[in-house]
Amino acid sequence: MLNNFSDDFLVKGKFSIKKTSTVYQGTLTKDEGIQILIQEKEKLRELQEKLYADGSKSLLVVIQAMDAAGKDSLIEHVFGGVNPQGCNVTSFKTPSSKEYVHDFLWRHYSALPQKGMIGIFNRSHYESVLVCKVHPEYNLSEKTWNSVKDFDKEFWKNRYESIRNFEKHLSQNGTTIIKIFLHVSKDEQKKRLLDRINEQEKNWKFSTGDLPERALFDEYMKCYETAINETSKNEAPWYVIPADNKWFARLSALQIIIDTLEKMDLQFPQLSKEDQAGLDDAKKQLESE
């Protein structure tokens, strides 16, 4: 592919959300992008098969975004062609009472991809430094803290450190991590929310709870900027994709995932001499029937 979206959208150095566009500004047309997406999905399917056959590594794709940014449809269009046996999607909602009696990372461990698999987190452990930072009272459900006053700078510093350590541990034990933030503008979010109301087939997607959160849009942007700056590391990089054009967000995410898999140096298993001899014998037996 002529465009290098992996390099274009990788967070390098200090990240500023206000200086980062939500709109694709290149020359690729929508029709061209859709055709490339179709072609590249076959490459992803082949790489996923090699990852599964290799069996020594796993890939974790973390997807974060505001409401209506296109997380669900991106997962559908990017991963729709892979073998479902080699891919798991986990959507993290509000923690359950069982999850709240453990530390904030506990529920994410059980959803991690085993070796040979691709794991996709639709929202993730980052909700603990996003929605829980915008609404610090949510943290009281963990029953460890006595008051909202406990959630000071030191508290958030420790949260970011826990996330960095969690991701570093995964990286050191065979899991490659990429984190994608779908950066949608407030105006585009408004348009998509209105579409959910105006188009009957999309009514089910709309929640009245989306509006109070939308009112906090700017506060969420500050939390995203801080979280990305605190946790974008070589072993777990952040990619910030302009998401006002859904077709482009899907294409660029696909390329980032493909590039990451190609760098993992995946190999199909090599048969031993004994196993190869067994195959030759089996072939002779079958051909002689």
Side-chain angles (χ1 to χ4, degrees), residues 44-45 47-49 51-52 57-61 79 82-89 111-121 257 261:
L44 176 60
R45 189 196 66 77
L47 285 165
Q48 184 241 335
E49 181 180 4
L51 174 71
Y52 191 84
K57 304 169 185 176
S58 60
L59 175 66
L60 175 63
V61 181
F79 293 98
V82 304
N83 187 335
Q85 293 186 94
C87 185
N88 289 323
V89 181
L112 290 171
Q114 66 189 56
K115 288 182 173 63
M117 301 282 286
I118 297 175
I120 304 155
F121 281 6
I257 294 163
L261 284 165

Side-chain angles (χ1 to χ4, degrees), residues 15-21 183 218 221-222 225:
F15 169 66
S16 170
I17 208 157
K18 288 184 178 179
K19 294 179 180 179
T20 306
S21 178
H183 187 24
D218 291 342
M221 291 301 100
K222 292 177 184 176
E225 182 176 274

Side-chain angles (χ1 to χ4, degrees), residues 66-250:
M66 294 293 287
D67 293 326
K71 297 185 299 298
D72 294 343
S73 62
L74 182 144
I75 292 169
E76 176 187 355
H77 284 83
V78 170
F79 293 98
V82 304
N83 187 335
Q85 293 186 94
C87 185
N88 289 323
V89 181
T90 306
S91 296
F92 289 100
K93 308 296 185 183
T94 302
S96 66
S97 56
K98 179 180 179 180
E99 290 166 341
Y100 267 134
V101 297
H102 294 273
D103 70 88
F104 79 99
L105 290 170
W106 178 81
R107 66 177 180 155
H108 303 283
Y109 271 99
S110 60
L112 290 171
Q114 66 189 56
K115 288 182 173 63
M117 301 282 286
I118 297 175
I120 304 155
F121 281 6
N122 183 351
R123 299 190 188 274
S124 67
H125 45 292
Y126 280 92
E127 293 298 290
S128 292
V129 291
L130 296 169
V131 66
C132 290
K133 195 171 185 181
V134 174
H135 300 281
E137 67 276 11
Y138 291 175
N139 294 304
L140 295 174
S141 297
E142 295 179 14
K143 303 184 185 201
T144 304
W145 323 103
N146 298 317
S147 166
V148 174
K149 293 179 181 178
D150 292 332
F151 309 128
D152 54 13
K153 288 184 179 180
E154 188 67 19
F155 173 86
W156 297 113
K157 178 183 176 182
N158 290 336
R159 286 269 145 134
Y160 297 126
E161 184 178 12
S162 294
I163 290 173
R164 290 193 297 268
N165 289 339
F166 170 62
E167 293 174 348
K168 185 175 182 179
H169 170 75
L170 297 181
S171 175
Q172 291 174 335
N173 286 274
T175 298
T176 297
I177 305 167
I178 53 176
K179 300 173 295 193
I180 294 172
F181 172 48
L182 299 179
H183 187 24
V184 70
S185 67
K186 194 173 183 180
D187 287 343
E188 180 63 22
Q189 187 197 51
K190 176 182 177 179
K191 176 181 176 297
R192 293 181 189 179
L193 290 174
L194 283 171
D195 286 344
R196 292 180 178 184
I197 295 172
N198 294 329
E199 299 177 33
Q200 188 174 2
E201 66 274 15
K202 294 183 180 180
N203 287 170
W204 65 274
K205 292 184 177 182
F206 184 78
S207 168
T208 54
D210 292 340
L211 296 184
E213 293 302 285
R214 174 174 165 76
L216 299 166
F217 192 96
D218 291 342
E219 194 169 342
Y220 271 104
M221 291 301 100
K222 292 177 184 176
C223 291
Y224 268 108
E225 182 176 274
T226 302
I228 290 169
N229 278 316
E230 289 282 348
T231 62
S232 193
K233 302 296 178 183
N234 290 335
E235 66 270 12
W238 273 105
Y239 295 87
V240 178
I241 295 176
D244 280 5
N245 308 97
K246 284 188 176 182
W247 66 268
F248 178 73
R250 296 163 185 167

